[in-house]
Amino acid sequence: DLHSFPTRRSSDLQQINALEWYKSVYQKLNLEEYTVTVIGHSKGGNKAKYITILNDTPARCVSFDGQGFSDEFVEHYRKRIQKRQEVIENHNIDFDYVNILMNDVGRKTFYIGYDYGKFGFAESHSPNTFFDFGENGEYSMRVNPNGQRPEMQILDQFINSTGRAADNDDPG
C-alpha cells in the first residue's frame, strides 16, 4: 500500500526520512508535470532505490555503488520490488565492496574502476573511480564486459552464505 508508512522493522529512519522528504518536494514543486529520476551514490543510492520501490512517481532510478537491502526488507516489500525493479539501474565499479553487502534489486552494469589511489581496494568505492580522467577535463568510462570481478563474486557468496547461516542459527 503506497499510503501506509514503512515499518521500522523493514526500514531505517534515514530511508523513511528520505522518502518523506522526496514526497514533500514532489508535491511542493508540482513535479507531476515532469519525468523524475532519483540518483544517489552508496547510501544515497540505497535511498534512491528505497524511494523508487515505495513510490510510483520516479520514472527512473540510477544508483552508483548503492547498498542493497536486508532479507527482511526484501521479504516485506517483495511485491513492490517486483513491480518497480525494472526502473532501477545499478552502476557499480567491478571491484566495489559496498553493493555486495546486502540484497540488491534492479539491473546491474559493472564498470572498470580507475585511479584507486594510495589505498587501492579501500578506495574502489569512491565515485571518482568510475572515470578515467584525461587532459583538458576529458574523461571516459568503460563497462566491464565480464561484469563483476570474480574475486568480488566469491566475496559476495561468502558474505551472504555466512551472514544468512548465522541469521538462521539465531533463535531470537
Side-chain angles (χ1 to χ4, degrees):
D1 180 6
L2 289 176
H3 302 291
S4 67
F5 200 70
T7 66
R8 183 70 175 103
R9 279 186 33 206
S10 59
S11 306
D12 71 28
L13 190 56
Q14 302 276 331
Q15 293 168 323
I16 293 168
N17 288 343
L19 176 60
E20 291 306 307
W21 174 85
Y22 171 80
K23 290 191 301 190
S24 71
V25 168
Y26 187 87
Q27 183 178 16
K28 181 179 175 181
L29 298 178
N30 298 314
L31 295 179
E32 64 273 353
E33 300 174 25
Y34 301 92
T35 300
V36 176
T37 298
V38 289
I39 299 172
H41 173 262
S42 192
K43 186 66 175 170
N46 171 275
K47 291 174 187 174
K49 289 185 271 192
Y50 182 86
I51 290 166
T52 304
I53 290 167
L54 296 183
N55 190 290
D56 285 336
T57 59
R60 183 175 180 219
C61 171
V62 181
S63 173
F64 296 93
D65 290 335
Q67 298 169 354
F69 300 96
S70 69
D71 291 342
E72 183 178 54
F73 178 90
V74 171
E75 184 59 35
H76 187 80
Y77 291 111
R78 181 172 306 285
K79 289 181 182 174
R80 292 291 309 157
I81 290 168
Q82 289 171 345
K83 179 181 178 187
R84 299 288 291 156
Q85 67 184 350
E86 76 278 352
V87 298
I88 298 172
E89 300 173 23
N90 294 285
H91 296 272
N92 303 322
I93 294 300
D94 56 3
F95 237 124
D96 183 65
Y97 50 88
V98 171
N99 60 64
I100 66 173
L101 296 177
M102 299 182 115
N103 305 300
D104 214 349
V105 296
R107 292 185 311 278
K108 295 178 187 163
T109 302
F110 290 95
Y111 297 83
I112 296 171
Y114 297 97
D115 192 23
Y116 289 137
K118 183 177 177 182
F119 300 107
F121 176 78
E123 293 180 351
S124 66
H125 185 64
S126 299
N128 66 305
T129 59
F130 278 91
F131 306 99
D132 184 19
F133 293 103
E135 298 295 319
N136 301 319
E138 296 170 1
Y139 69 90
S140 63
M141 296 173 68
R142 227 171 55 191
V143 171
N144 185 336
N146 299 317
Q148 187 180 39
R149 294 272 182 104
E151 301 93 319
M152 300 313 291
Q153 291 174 14
I154 292 167
L155 181 59
D156 188 4
Q157 290 170 357
F158 172 75
I159 289 171
N160 281 300
S161 66
T162 57
R164 290 203 173 96
D167 288 344
N168 292 337
D169 292 341
D170 182 11

PDB file of all heavy atoms in Angstrom, residues 123-160:
ATOM      1  N   GLU A 123      39.671   2.197  -1.742  1.00  0.00           N
ATOM      2  CA  GLU A 123      39.191   3.355  -2.487  1.00  0.00           C
ATOM      3  C   GLU A 123      38.340   2.976  -3.694  1.00  0.00           C
ATOM      4  O   GLU A 123      37.885   3.845  -4.422  1.00  0.00           O
ATOM      5  CB  GLU A 123      40.377   4.212  -2.918  1.00  0.00           C
ATOM      6  CG  GLU A 123      41.071   4.843  -1.730  1.00  0.00           C
ATOM      7  CD  GLU A 123      42.257   5.690  -2.126  1.00  0.00           C
ATOM      8  OE1 GLU A 123      42.667   5.667  -3.300  1.00  0.00           O
ATOM      9  OE2 GLU A 123      42.776   6.378  -1.246  1.00  0.00           O
ATOM     10  N   SER A 124      38.078   1.704  -3.900  1.00  0.00           N
ATOM     11  CA  SER A 124      37.280   1.299  -5.056  1.00  0.00           C
ATOM     12  C   SER A 124      35.826   1.727  -4.917  1.00  0.00           C
ATOM     13  O   SER A 124      35.064   1.636  -5.871  1.00  0.00           O
ATOM     14  CB  SER A 124      37.368  -0.220  -5.270  1.00  0.00           C
ATOM     15  OG  SER A 124      36.771  -0.914  -4.197  1.00  0.00           O
ATOM     16  N   HIS A 125      35.435   2.212  -3.755  1.00  0.00           N
ATOM     17  CA  HIS A 125      34.065   2.671  -3.538  1.00  0.00           C
ATOM     18  C   HIS A 125      33.896   4.168  -3.793  1.00  0.00           C
ATOM     19  O   HIS A 125      32.796   4.680  -3.751  1.00  0.00           O
ATOM     20  CB  HIS A 125      33.627   2.314  -2.109  1.00  0.00           C
ATOM     21  CG  HIS A 125      32.198   2.636  -1.826  1.00  0.00           C
ATOM     22  ND1 HIS A 125      31.150   2.019  -2.485  1.00  0.00           N
ATOM     23  CD2 HIS A 125      31.632   3.508  -0.971  1.00  0.00           C
ATOM     24  CE1 HIS A 125      30.012   2.494  -2.032  1.00  0.00           C
ATOM     25  NE2 HIS A 125      30.273   3.408  -1.127  1.00  0.00           N
ATOM     26  N   SER A 126      34.960   4.882  -4.097  1.00  0.00           N
ATOM     27  CA  SER A 126      34.881   6.320  -4.340  1.00  0.00           C
ATOM     28  C   SER A 126      34.257   6.601  -5.700  1.00  0.00           C
ATOM     29  O   SER A 126      34.570   5.925  -6.681  1.00  0.00           O
ATOM     30  CB  SER A 126      36.277   6.941  -4.298  1.00  0.00           C
ATOM     31  OG  SER A 126      36.851   6.747  -3.031  1.00  0.00           O
ATOM     32  N   PRO A 127      33.392   7.621  -5.786  1.00  0.00           N
ATOM     33  CA  PRO A 127      32.733   7.920  -7.068  1.00  0.00           C
ATOM     34  C   PRO A 127      33.707   8.220  -8.204  1.00  0.00           C
ATOM     35  O   PRO A 127      33.421   7.907  -9.355  1.00  0.00           O
ATOM     36  CB  PRO A 127      31.870   9.145  -6.756  1.00  0.00           C
ATOM     37  CG  PRO A 127      31.671   9.130  -5.289  1.00  0.00           C
ATOM     38  CD  PRO A 127      32.893   8.483  -4.708  1.00  0.00           C
ATOM     39  N   ASN A 128      34.873   8.804  -7.888  1.00  0.00           N
ATOM     40  CA  ASN A 128      35.818   9.150  -8.955  1.00  0.00           C
ATOM     41  C   ASN A 128      36.384   7.927  -9.658  1.00  0.00           C
ATOM     42  O   ASN A 128      36.938   8.041 -10.751  1.00  0.00           O
ATOM     43  CB  ASN A 128      36.952  10.021  -8.414  1.00  0.00           C
ATOM     44  CG  ASN A 128      37.823   9.286  -7.422  1.00  0.00           C
ATOM     45  OD1 ASN A 128      37.326   8.754  -6.435  1.00  0.00           O
ATOM     46  ND2 ASN A 128      39.114   9.247  -7.681  1.00  0.00           N
ATOM     47  N   THR A 129      36.259   6.732  -9.072  1.00  0.00           N
ATOM     48  CA  THR A 129      36.820   5.544  -9.714  1.00  0.00           C
ATOM     49  C   THR A 129      36.036   5.129 -10.952  1.00  0.00           C
ATOM     50  O   THR A 129      36.501   4.296 -11.716  1.00  0.00           O
ATOM     51  CB  THR A 129      36.903   4.359  -8.730  1.00  0.00           C
ATOM     52  OG1 THR A 129      35.603   4.057  -8.241  1.00  0.00           O
ATOM     53  CG2 THR A 129      37.835   4.676  -7.580  1.00  0.00           C
ATOM     54  N   PHE A 130      34.871   5.714 -11.192  1.00  0.00           N
ATOM     55  CA  PHE A 130      34.108   5.436 -12.410  1.00  0.00           C
ATOM     56  C   PHE A 130      34.780   6.042 -13.638  1.00  0.00           C
ATOM     57  O   PHE A 130      34.550   5.606 -14.757  1.00  0.00           O
ATOM     58  CB  PHE A 130      32.693   6.024 -12.309  1.00  0.00           C
ATOM     59  CG  PHE A 130      31.724   5.168 -11.563  1.00  0.00           C
ATOM     60  CD1 PHE A 130      31.549   5.326 -10.200  1.00  0.00           C
ATOM     61  CD2 PHE A 130      30.977   4.207 -12.218  1.00  0.00           C
ATOM     62  CE1 PHE A 130      30.646   4.544  -9.505  1.00  0.00           C
ATOM     63  CE2 PHE A 130      30.072   3.415 -11.535  1.00  0.00           C
ATOM     64  CZ  PHE A 130      29.904   3.579 -10.172  1.00  0.00           C
ATOM     65  N   PHE A 131      35.593   7.071 -13.436  1.00  0.00           N
ATOM     66  CA  PHE A 131      36.098   7.869 -14.540  1.00  0.00           C
ATOM     67  C   PHE A 131      37.599   7.715 -14.741  1.00  0.00           C
ATOM     68  O   PHE A 131      38.367   7.741 -13.781  1.00  0.00           O
ATOM     69  CB  PHE A 131      35.799   9.357 -14.292  1.00  0.00           C
ATOM     70  CG  PHE A 131      34.355   9.623 -14.031  1.00  0.00           C
ATOM     71  CD1 PHE A 131      33.892   9.781 -12.728  1.00  0.00           C
ATOM     72  CD2 PHE A 131      33.456   9.702 -15.075  1.00  0.00           C
ATOM     73  CE1 PHE A 131      32.546  10.026 -12.476  1.00  0.00           C
ATOM     74  CE2 PHE A 131      32.109   9.950 -14.837  1.00  0.00           C
ATOM     75  CZ  PHE A 131      31.655  10.105 -13.535  1.00  0.00           C
ATOM     76  N   ASP A 132      38.003   7.623 -15.994  1.00  0.00           N
ATOM     77  CA  ASP A 132      39.405   7.690 -16.367  1.00  0.00           C
ATOM     78  C   ASP A 132      39.618   9.104 -16.894  1.00  0.00           C
ATOM     79  O   ASP A 132      39.206   9.433 -18.008  1.00  0.00           O
ATOM     80  CB  ASP A 132      39.716   6.646 -17.439  1.00  0.00           C
ATOM     81  CG  ASP A 132      41.186   6.612 -17.805  1.00  0.00           C
ATOM     82  OD1 ASP A 132      42.022   7.112 -17.020  1.00  0.00           O
ATOM     83  OD2 ASP A 132      41.503   6.074 -18.878  1.00  0.00           O
ATOM     84  N   PHE A 133      40.203   9.965 -16.057  1.00  0.00           N
ATOM     85  CA  PHE A 133      40.354  11.367 -16.408  1.00  0.00           C
ATOM     86  C   PHE A 133      41.572  11.582 -17.287  1.00  0.00           C
ATOM     87  O   PHE A 133      42.629  11.002 -17.073  1.00  0.00           O
ATOM     88  CB  PHE A 133      40.467  12.232 -15.147  1.00  0.00           C
ATOM     89  CG  PHE A 133      39.193  12.262 -14.344  1.00  0.00           C
ATOM     90  CD1 PHE A 133      39.067  11.512 -13.183  1.00  0.00           C
ATOM     91  CD2 PHE A 133      38.122  13.034 -14.769  1.00  0.00           C
ATOM     92  CE1 PHE A 133      37.894  11.540 -12.451  1.00  0.00           C
ATOM     93  CE2 PHE A 133      36.945  13.065 -14.048  1.00  0.00           C
ATOM     94  CZ  PHE A 133      36.828  12.316 -12.881  1.00  0.00           C
ATOM     95  N   GLY A 134      41.405  12.440 -18.282  1.00  0.00           N
ATOM     96  CA  GLY A 134      42.479  12.790 -19.193  1.00  0.00           C
ATOM     97  C   GLY A 134      42.763  14.281 -19.142  1.00  0.00           C
ATOM     98  O   GLY A 134      42.395  14.978 -18.194  1.00  0.00           O
ATOM     99  N   GLU A 135      43.402  14.758 -20.167  1.00  0.00           N
ATOM    100  CA  GLU A 135      43.747  16.181 -20.265  1.00  0.00           C
ATOM    101  C   GLU A 135      42.506  17.007 -20.597  1.00  0.00           C
ATOM    102  O   GLU A 135      41.542  16.527 -21.169  1.00  0.00           O
ATOM    103  CB  GLU A 135      44.799  16.379 -21.367  1.00  0.00           C
ATOM    104  CG  GLU A 135      46.103  15.663 -21.100  1.00  0.00           C
ATOM    105  CD  GLU A 135      46.825  16.198 -19.881  1.00  0.00           C
ATOM    106  OE1 GLU A 135      46.852  17.432 -19.683  1.00  0.00           O
ATOM    107  OE2 GLU A 135      47.344  15.375 -19.102  1.00  0.00           O
ATOM    108  N   ASN A 136      42.544  18.279 -20.215  1.00  0.00           N
ATOM    109  CA  ASN A 136      41.508  19.249 -20.569  1.00  0.00           C
ATOM    110  C   ASN A 136      40.108  18.824 -20.130  1.00  0.00           C
ATOM    111  O   ASN A 136      39.125  19.091 -20.824  1.00  0.00           O
ATOM    112  CB  ASN A 136      41.518  19.525 -22.080  1.00  0.00           C
ATOM    113  CG  ASN A 136      42.848  20.071 -22.541  1.00  0.00           C
ATOM    114  OD1 ASN A 136      43.452  20.908 -21.858  1.00  0.00           O
ATOM    115  ND2 ASN A 136      43.333  19.588 -23.668  1.00  0.00           N
ATOM    116  N   GLY A 137      40.009  18.135 -19.007  1.00  0.00           N
ATOM    117  CA  GLY A 137      38.701  17.752 -18.485  1.00  0.00           C
ATOM    118  C   GLY A 137      38.054  16.572 -19.182  1.00  0.00           C
ATOM    119  O   GLY A 137      36.899  16.256 -18.929  1.00  0.00           O
ATOM    120  N   GLU A 138      38.790  15.937 -20.078  1.00  0.00           N
ATOM    121  CA  GLU A 138      38.235  14.776 -20.771  1.00  0.00           C
ATOM    122  C   GLU A 138      38.180  13.589 -19.818  1.00  0.00           C
ATOM    123  O   GLU A 138      38.995  13.471 -18.906  1.00  0.00           O
ATOM    124  CB  GLU A 138      39.105  14.419 -21.979  1.00  0.00           C
ATOM    125  CG  GLU A 138      39.141  15.494 -23.036  1.00  0.00           C
ATOM    126  CD  GLU A 138      40.200  15.205 -24.088  1.00  0.00           C
ATOM    127  OE1 GLU A 138      40.886  14.158 -23.994  1.00  0.00           O
ATOM    128  OE2 GLU A 138      40.342  16.032 -24.990  1.00  0.00           O
ATOM    129  N   TYR A 139      37.220  12.730 -20.041  1.00  0.00           N
ATOM    130  CA  TYR A 139      37.114  11.521 -19.227  1.00  0.00           C
ATOM    131  C   TYR A 139      36.448  10.424 -20.043  1.00  0.00           C
ATOM    132  O   TYR A 139      35.814  10.678 -21.062  1.00  0.00           O
ATOM    133  CB  TYR A 139      36.312  11.773 -17.943  1.00  0.00           C
ATOM    134  CG  TYR A 139      34.851  12.032 -18.208  1.00  0.00           C
ATOM    135  CD1 TYR A 139      33.929  10.991 -18.234  1.00  0.00           C
ATOM    136  CD2 TYR A 139      34.387  13.327 -18.434  1.00  0.00           C
ATOM    137  CE1 TYR A 139      32.595  11.221 -18.491  1.00  0.00           C
ATOM    138  CE2 TYR A 139      33.055  13.563 -18.691  1.00  0.00           C
ATOM    139  CZ  TYR A 139      32.155  12.509 -18.714  1.00  0.00           C
ATOM    140  OH  TYR A 139      30.832  12.746 -18.967  1.00  0.00           O
ATOM    141  N   SER A 140      36.632   9.215 -19.588  1.00  0.00           N
ATOM    142  CA  SER A 140      35.930   8.093 -20.202  1.00  0.00           C
ATOM    143  C   SER A 140      35.506   7.140 -19.100  1.00  0.00           C
ATOM    144  O   SER A 140      36.044   7.162 -17.991  1.00  0.00           O
ATOM    145  CB  SER A 140      36.821   7.375 -21.225  1.00  0.00           C
ATOM    146  OG  SER A 140      37.950   6.821 -20.586  1.00  0.00           O
ATOM    147  N   MET A 141      34.523   6.334 -19.419  1.00  0.00           N
ATOM    148  CA  MET A 141      34.044   5.274 -18.522  1.00  0.00           C
ATOM    149  C   MET A 141      34.024   4.009 -19.364  1.00  0.00           C
ATOM    150  O   MET A 141      33.689   4.059 -20.552  1.00  0.00           O
ATOM    151  CB  MET A 141      32.633   5.573 -18.024  1.00  0.00           C
ATOM    152  CG  MET A 141      32.522   6.799 -17.168  1.00  0.00           C
ATOM    153  SD  MET A 141      30.808   7.221 -16.770  1.00  0.00           S
ATOM    154  CE  MET A 141      30.335   5.871 -15.714  1.00  0.00           C
ATOM    155  N   ARG A 142      34.380   2.891 -18.749  1.00  0.00           N
ATOM    156  CA  ARG A 142      34.426   1.645 -19.511  1.00  0.00           C
ATOM    157  C   ARG A 142      33.641   0.555 -18.799  1.00  0.00           C
ATOM    158  O   ARG A 142      33.952   0.194 -17.665  1.00  0.00           O
ATOM    159  CB  ARG A 142      35.879   1.219 -19.684  1.00  0.00           C
ATOM    160  CG  ARG A 142      36.192   0.832 -21.107  1.00  0.00           C
ATOM    161  CD  ARG A 142      37.634   0.619 -21.366  1.00  0.00           C
ATOM    162  NE  ARG A 142      38.193  -0.369 -20.446  1.00  0.00           N
ATOM    163  CZ  ARG A 142      39.473  -0.605 -20.299  1.00  0.00           C
ATOM    164  NH1 ARG A 142      40.338   0.071 -20.990  1.00  0.00           N
ATOM    165  NH2 ARG A 142      39.905  -1.507 -19.458  1.00  0.00           N
ATOM    166  N   VAL A 143      32.625   0.053 -19.476  1.00  0.00           N
ATOM    167  CA  VAL A 143      31.858  -1.068 -18.940  1.00  0.00           C
ATOM    168  C   VAL A 143      32.756  -2.295 -18.951  1.00  0.00           C
ATOM    169  O   VAL A 143      33.494  -2.530 -19.913  1.00  0.00           O
ATOM    170  CB  VAL A 143      30.592  -1.323 -19.792  1.00  0.00           C
ATOM    171  CG1 VAL A 143      29.899  -2.615 -19.383  1.00  0.00           C
ATOM    172  CG2 VAL A 143      29.634  -0.143 -19.692  1.00  0.00           C
ATOM    173  N   ASN A 144      32.727  -3.067 -17.880  1.00  0.00           N
ATOM    174  CA  ASN A 144      33.456  -4.326 -17.847  1.00  0.00           C
ATOM    175  C   ASN A 144      32.561  -5.374 -18.507  1.00  0.00           C
ATOM    176  O   ASN A 144      31.524  -5.741 -17.954  1.00  0.00           O
ATOM    177  CB  ASN A 144      33.794  -4.735 -16.411  1.00  0.00           C
ATOM    178  CG  ASN A 144      34.660  -5.971 -16.359  1.00  0.00           C
ATOM    179  OD1 ASN A 144      34.676  -6.776 -17.289  1.00  0.00           O
ATOM    180  ND2 ASN A 144      35.386  -6.131 -15.275  1.00  0.00           N
ATOM    181  N   PRO A 145      32.924  -5.860 -19.696  1.00  0.00           N
ATOM    182  CA  PRO A 145      32.071  -6.826 -20.401  1.00  0.00           C
ATOM    183  C   PRO A 145      31.909  -8.142 -19.635  1.00  0.00           C
ATOM    184  O   PRO A 145      30.959  -8.880 -19.865  1.00  0.00           O
ATOM    185  CB  PRO A 145      32.785  -7.051 -21.733  1.00  0.00           C
ATOM    186  CG  PRO A 145      34.195  -6.642 -21.498  1.00  0.00           C
ATOM    187  CD  PRO A 145      34.170  -5.598 -20.415  1.00  0.00           C
ATOM    188  N   ASN A 146      32.814  -8.396 -18.687  1.00  0.00           N
ATOM    189  CA  ASN A 146      32.725  -9.617 -17.875  1.00  0.00           C
ATOM    190  C   ASN A 146      31.932  -9.405 -16.595  1.00  0.00           C
ATOM    191  O   ASN A 146      31.783 -10.331 -15.801  1.00  0.00           O
ATOM    192  CB  ASN A 146      34.132 -10.118 -17.531  1.00  0.00           C
ATOM    193  CG  ASN A 146      34.908 -10.452 -18.778  1.00  0.00           C
ATOM    194  OD1 ASN A 146      34.387 -11.060 -19.702  1.00  0.00           O
ATOM    195  ND2 ASN A 146      36.161 -10.017 -18.821  1.00  0.00           N
ATOM    196  N   GLY A 147      31.443  -8.179 -16.365  1.00  0.00           N
ATOM    197  CA  GLY A 147      30.652  -7.899 -15.172  1.00  0.00           C
ATOM    198  C   GLY A 147      31.504  -7.729 -13.935  1.00  0.00           C
ATOM    199  O   GLY A 147      32.613  -7.221 -13.983  1.00  0.00           O
ATOM    200  N   GLN A 148      30.990  -8.195 -12.827  1.00  0.00           N
ATOM    201  CA  GLN A 148      31.656  -8.084 -11.534  1.00  0.00           C
ATOM    202  C   GLN A 148      32.919  -8.943 -11.522  1.00  0.00           C
ATOM    203  O   GLN A 148      32.946 -10.028 -12.090  1.00  0.00           O
ATOM    204  CB  GLN A 148      30.686  -8.552 -10.450  1.00  0.00           C
ATOM    205  CG  GLN A 148      31.154  -8.344  -9.045  1.00  0.00           C
ATOM    206  CD  GLN A 148      30.109  -8.843  -8.049  1.00  0.00           C
ATOM    207  OE1 GLN A 148      29.478  -9.867  -8.267  1.00  0.00           O
ATOM    208  NE2 GLN A 148      29.952  -8.112  -6.966  1.00  0.00           N
ATOM    209  N   ARG A 149      33.957  -8.462 -10.858  1.00  0.00           N
ATOM    210  CA  ARG A 149      35.211  -9.215 -10.771  1.00  0.00           C
ATOM    211  C   ARG A 149      34.978 -10.544 -10.068  1.00  0.00           C
ATOM    212  O   ARG A 149      34.212 -10.609  -9.097  1.00  0.00           O
ATOM    213  CB  ARG A 149      36.255  -8.424  -9.993  1.00  0.00           C
ATOM    214  CG  ARG A 149      36.718  -7.154 -10.654  1.00  0.00           C
ATOM    215  CD  ARG A 149      37.885  -7.417 -11.597  1.00  0.00           C
ATOM    216  NE  ARG A 149      38.340  -6.197 -12.187  1.00  0.00           N
ATOM    217  CZ  ARG A 149      39.462  -5.563 -11.809  1.00  0.00           C
ATOM    218  NH1 ARG A 149      40.237  -6.051 -10.882  1.00  0.00           N
ATOM    219  NH2 ARG A 149      39.799  -4.451 -12.405  1.00  0.00           N
ATOM    220  N   PRO A 150      35.631 -11.594 -10.517  1.00  0.00           N
ATOM    221  CA  PRO A 150      35.466 -12.917  -9.881  1.00  0.00           C
ATOM    222  C   PRO A 150      35.764 -12.897  -8.382  1.00  0.00           C
ATOM    223  O   PRO A 150      35.072 -13.558  -7.607  1.00  0.00           O
ATOM    224  CB  PRO A 150      36.460 -13.809 -10.625  1.00  0.00           C
ATOM    225  CG  PRO A 150      36.676 -13.142 -11.937  1.00  0.00           C
ATOM    226  CD  PRO A 150      36.511 -11.666 -11.687  1.00  0.00           C
ATOM    227  N   GLU A 151      36.759 -12.114  -7.967  1.00  0.00           N
ATOM    228  CA  GLU A 151      37.101 -12.031  -6.552  1.00  0.00           C
ATOM    229  C   GLU A 151      35.933 -11.491  -5.727  1.00  0.00           C
ATOM    230  O   GLU A 151      35.666 -11.931  -4.616  1.00  0.00           O
ATOM    231  CB  GLU A 151      38.318 -11.122  -6.324  1.00  0.00           C
ATOM    232  CG  GLU A 151      39.568 -11.554  -7.034  1.00  0.00           C
ATOM    233  CD  GLU A 151      39.737 -10.893  -8.411  1.00  0.00           C
ATOM    234  OE1 GLU A 151      38.743 -10.758  -9.166  1.00  0.00           O
ATOM    235  OE2 GLU A 151      40.871 -10.516  -8.724  1.00  0.00           O
ATOM    236  N   MET A 152      35.234 -10.507  -6.316  1.00  0.00           N
ATOM    237  CA  MET A 152      34.099  -9.902  -5.620  1.00  0.00           C
ATOM    238  C   MET A 152      32.895 -10.846  -5.623  1.00  0.00           C
ATOM    239  O   MET A 152      32.121 -10.864  -4.670  1.00  0.00           O
ATOM    240  CB  MET A 152      33.740  -8.560  -6.254  1.00  0.00           C
ATOM    241  CG  MET A 152      34.884  -7.560  -6.216  1.00  0.00           C
ATOM    242  SD  MET A 152      35.716  -7.416  -4.618  1.00  0.00           S
ATOM    243  CE  MET A 152      34.453  -6.653  -3.646  1.00  0.00           C
ATOM    244  N   GLN A 153      32.746 -11.638  -6.679  1.00  0.00           N
ATOM    245  CA  GLN A 153      31.676 -12.640  -6.701  1.00  0.00           C
ATOM    246  C   GLN A 153      31.876 -13.655  -5.584  1.00  0.00           C
ATOM    247  O   GLN A 153      30.927 -14.035  -4.894  1.00  0.00           O
ATOM    248  CB  GLN A 153      31.629 -13.346  -8.051  1.00  0.00           C
ATOM    249  CG  GLN A 153      31.171 -12.462  -9.179  1.00  0.00           C
ATOM    250  CD  GLN A 153      31.273 -13.148 -10.529  1.00  0.00           C
ATOM    251  OE1 GLN A 153      31.436 -14.357 -10.614  1.00  0.00           O
ATOM    252  NE2 GLN A 153      31.163 -12.366 -11.591  1.00  0.00           N
ATOM    253  N   ILE A 154      33.124 -14.085  -5.390  1.00  0.00           N
ATOM    254  CA  ILE A 154      33.442 -15.041  -4.322  1.00  0.00           C
ATOM    255  C   ILE A 154      33.178 -14.398  -2.957  1.00  0.00           C
ATOM    256  O   ILE A 154      32.570 -15.016  -2.079  1.00  0.00           O
ATOM    257  CB  ILE A 154      34.902 -15.530  -4.441  1.00  0.00           C
ATOM    258  CG1 ILE A 154      35.053 -16.393  -5.694  1.00  0.00           C
ATOM    259  CG2 ILE A 154      35.338 -16.291  -3.199  1.00  0.00           C
ATOM    260  CD1 ILE A 154      36.497 -16.663  -6.089  1.00  0.00           C
ATOM    261  N   LEU A 155      33.616 -13.153  -2.775  1.00  0.00           N
ATOM    262  CA  LEU A 155      33.375 -12.448  -1.517  1.00  0.00           C
ATOM    263  C   LEU A 155      31.875 -12.289  -1.279  1.00  0.00           C
ATOM    264  O   LEU A 155      31.390 -12.486  -0.160  1.00  0.00           O
ATOM    265  CB  LEU A 155      34.071 -11.092  -1.524  1.00  0.00           C
ATOM    266  CG  LEU A 155      33.929 -10.249  -0.248  1.00  0.00           C
ATOM    267  CD1 LEU A 155      34.480 -10.991   0.961  1.00  0.00           C
ATOM    268  CD2 LEU A 155      34.625  -8.909  -0.446  1.00  0.00           C
ATOM    269  N   ASP A 156      31.128 -11.955  -2.312  1.00  0.00           N
ATOM    270  CA  ASP A 156      29.672 -11.813  -2.230  1.00  0.00           C
ATOM    271  C   ASP A 156      29.035 -13.119  -1.747  1.00  0.00           C
ATOM    272  O   ASP A 156      28.226 -13.136  -0.814  1.00  0.00           O
ATOM    273  CB  ASP A 156      29.118 -11.415  -3.596  1.00  0.00           C
ATOM    274  CG  ASP A 156      27.642 -11.061  -3.578  1.00  0.00           C
ATOM    275  OD1 ASP A 156      27.022 -11.030  -2.499  1.00  0.00           O
ATOM    276  OD2 ASP A 156      27.102 -10.812  -4.665  1.00  0.00           O
ATOM    277  N   GLN A 157      29.420 -14.227  -2.357  1.00  0.00           N
ATOM    278  CA  GLN A 157      28.873 -15.534  -1.957  1.00  0.00           C
ATOM    279  C   GLN A 157      29.248 -15.853  -0.510  1.00  0.00           C
ATOM    280  O   GLN A 157      28.421 -16.342   0.257  1.00  0.00           O
ATOM    281  CB  GLN A 157      29.378 -16.630  -2.888  1.00  0.00           C
ATOM    282  CG  GLN A 157      28.804 -16.547  -4.272  1.00  0.00           C
ATOM    283  CD  GLN A 157      29.493 -17.482  -5.253  1.00  0.00           C
ATOM    284  OE1 GLN A 157      30.448 -18.163  -4.918  1.00  0.00           O
ATOM    285  NE2 GLN A 157      29.006 -17.505  -6.489  1.00  0.00           N
ATOM    286  N   PHE A 158      30.477 -15.551  -0.136  1.00  0.00           N
ATOM    287  CA  PHE A 158      30.930 -15.827   1.228  1.00  0.00           C
ATOM    288  C   PHE A 158      30.150 -14.998   2.255  1.00  0.00           C
ATOM    289  O   PHE A 158      29.637 -15.525   3.243  1.00  0.00           O
ATOM    290  CB  PHE A 158      32.432 -15.548   1.356  1.00  0.00           C
ATOM    291  CG  PHE A 158      32.935 -15.634   2.770  1.00  0.00           C
ATOM    292  CD1 PHE A 158      33.105 -16.876   3.381  1.00  0.00           C
ATOM    293  CD2 PHE A 158      33.223 -14.486   3.490  1.00  0.00           C
ATOM    294  CE1 PHE A 158      33.566 -16.968   4.692  1.00  0.00           C
ATOM    295  CE2 PHE A 158      33.670 -14.569   4.794  1.00  0.00           C
ATOM    296  CZ  PHE A 158      33.841 -15.815   5.400  1.00  0.00           C
ATOM    297  N   ILE A 159      30.052 -13.692   1.999  1.00  0.00           N
ATOM    298  CA  ILE A 159      29.351 -12.810   2.939  1.00  0.00           C
ATOM    299  C   ILE A 159      27.897 -13.242   3.092  1.00  0.00           C
ATOM    300  O   ILE A 159      27.378 -13.343   4.202  1.00  0.00           O
ATOM    301  CB  ILE A 159      29.443 -11.337   2.475  1.00  0.00           C
ATOM    302  CG1 ILE A 159      30.863 -10.821   2.669  1.00  0.00           C
ATOM    303  CG2 ILE A 159      28.448 -10.467   3.228  1.00  0.00           C
ATOM    304  CD1 ILE A 159      31.115  -9.472   2.051  1.00  0.00           C
ATOM    305  N   ASN A 160      27.235 -13.514   1.976  1.00  0.00           N
ATOM    306  CA  ASN A 160      25.823 -13.884   2.041  1.00  0.00           C
ATOM    307  C   ASN A 160      25.608 -15.254   2.659  1.00  0.00           C
ATOM    308  O   ASN A 160      24.661 -15.456   3.410  1.00  0.00           O
ATOM    309  CB  ASN A 160      25.173 -13.798   0.664  1.00  0.00           C
ATOM    310  CG  ASN A 160      24.851 -12.370   0.307  1.00  0.00           C
ATOM    311  OD1 ASN A 160      24.098 -11.712   1.007  1.00  0.00           O
ATOM    312  ND2 ASN A 160      25.446 -11.882  -0.759  1.00  0.00           N
TER     313      ASN A 160
END
